[in-house]
Amino acid sequence: MQKIIQFITKYPCSVACIALIWILSFVPFFPETPLDDVQFIDKWTHLVMYGGTCSVIWIEYLRRHSTLDKGKLFRWAWLAPIIMSGIIELLQEHCTNHTRSGEWFDFLANSTGVTLAVIVGLVVYFYQSARKC
């Protein structure tokens, strides 16, 4: 229990973003907006949600660590969000009354957002490392 509290206090924004994704993923409906007419707006939303969340994970990690633990980052900043995305899509498809549906393209958009955040995180890390030298 203490490790969970320590994790939440160490990465509060990341935890909040992850909780928000879980909540938004199971809200039964969203109000209509003018953006509904934008082609693939749903997929762009998924990409930005997961890319933004994983960017926050990277920012909080880089602020607290001077060196990269590549294994930890691989597991928690890339693999875990992709697995979470898959679980959410499966739960939407099989455990809701189909007001929300799981889609492979949502999963692909989520995974793309996560991967882009990793690329940006690595670029920021190497840029910061080069400036310190």
Side-chain angles (χ1 to χ4, degrees):
M1 183 67 170
Q2 186 174 353
K3 284 200 178 250
I4 293 172
I5 293 170
Q6 183 182 10
F7 182 82
I8 291 170
T9 57
K10 198 171 185 180
Y11 302 103
C13 295
S14 299
V15 171
C17 287
I18 291 166
L20 186 61
I21 285 177
W22 278 93
I23 292 166
L24 292 175
S25 294
F26 293 100
V27 170
F29 64 91
F30 286 98
E32 290 187 28
T33 70
L35 292 176
D36 290 341
D37 296 331
V38 175
Q39 192 173 16
F40 304 115
I41 189 65
D42 177 47
K43 306 314 172 227
W44 286 109
T45 303
H46 281 264
L47 187 138
V48 169
M49 245 181 8
Y50 277 82
T53 296
C54 291
S55 294
V56 169
I57 292 170
W58 272 86
I59 289 166
E60 287 188 324
Y61 182 87
L62 293 175
R63 289 184 70 202
R64 287 167 176 76
H65 303 279
S66 57
T67 59
L68 292 183
D69 181 339
K70 293 175 187 167
K72 186 181 283 187
L73 281 168
F74 170 76
R75 286 188 304 275
W76 297 111
W78 187 77
L79 186 61
I82 290 175
I83 291 171
M84 180 184 85
S85 164
I87 290 169
I88 288 173
E89 293 301 322
L90 289 171
L91 289 172
Q92 285 178 334
E93 183 64 29
H94 298 291
C95 298
T96 65
N97 61 2
H98 297 288
T99 55
R100 303 297 304 255
S101 62
E103 296 180 27
W104 283 107
F105 285 117
D106 288 351
F107 178 73
L108 181 62
N110 299 339
S111 300
T112 302
V114 170
T115 303
L116 289 173
V118 169
I119 292 167
V120 170
L122 287 170
V123 168
V124 168
Y125 171 75
F126 289 120
Y127 177 75
Q128 285 180 337
S129 295
R131 285 185 57 199
K132 290 179 183 176
C133 293

